[in-house]
Amino acid sequence: MPSFKNPESLTERQKAALQLTTILQLQLHRAYLLKEGLRLALKLPANEIREGIGKCRGRAWRSRIP
């Protein structure tokens, strides 16, 4: 089973693998960035979460990832 980590918790090897994924699997990398954007939006203060999620939703819609 894969171990999912926040970007700041990645090892150097995992960072290198993520960079390779960026080059080879653009759609997968975009999905990862969307996931990270949502994670960060959910960490915002309560009065800013709605706007943060709205921005994430817009990015997801524009990404056209099924």
Side-chain angles (χ1 to χ4, degrees), residues 34 37-38 41-42 44 48-62:
L34 290 169
L38 181 58
L42 293 172
L44 292 170
E48 296 177 22
I49 289 177
R50 183 177 297 238
E51 181 181 350
I53 290 175
K55 288 179 181 180
C56 289
R57 184 173 178 233
R59 286 185 201 110
W61 181 260
R62 289 187 300 278

Side-chain angles (χ1 to χ4, degrees), residues 1-21:
M1 177 169 250
S3 175
F4 299 104
K5 294 183 178 180
N6 296 332
E8 59 272 12
S9 301
L10 295 175
T11 65
E12 290 304 314
R13 184 175 178 187
Q14 290 168 328
K15 288 176 186 176
L18 183 59
Q19 287 176 337
L20 184 60
T21 299

